[in-house]
Amino acid sequence: MPSAPREEENDLLFKGTRVLQDIGVLRVFCDTAVNNLPMISAFKRVGYRQYSQPWERRL
């Protein structure tokens, strides 16, 4: 059952986005570290699009 965590990620992200849409939010922007490939993949799987080039602010 290796796909179960991925399905849960997708479901949680999808439902959270849906709640925002249901209350009238027209655009949802997301942010994550440029090297967080699992989260980037999750955003893409539920339909988020990348609008700019990745960049990371150095601390």
Side-chain angles (χ1 to χ4, degrees):
M1 206 154 75
S3 65
R6 180 170 290 162
E7 290 172 13
E8 291 174 7
E9 290 172 1
N10 294 349
D11 193 42
L12 181 61
L13 188 55
F14 181 79
K15 285 180 180 179
T17 303
R18 185 59 187 244
V19 167
L20 294 171
Q21 291 173 333
D22 288 347
I23 62 170
V25 175
L26 300 177
R27 289 189 180 152
V28 179
F29 294 89
C30 57
D31 187 19
T32 191
V34 296
N35 60 352
N36 188 348
L37 298 179
M39 193 68 223
I40 293 168
S41 296
F43 283 128
K44 288 179 181 180
R45 282 193 303 272
V46 297
Y48 281 74
R49 293 181 286 169
Q50 182 175 327
Y51 287 99
S52 64
Q53 293 301 314
W55 65 276
E56 189 164 20
R57 183 183 311 214
R58 294 183 186 259
L59 298 176

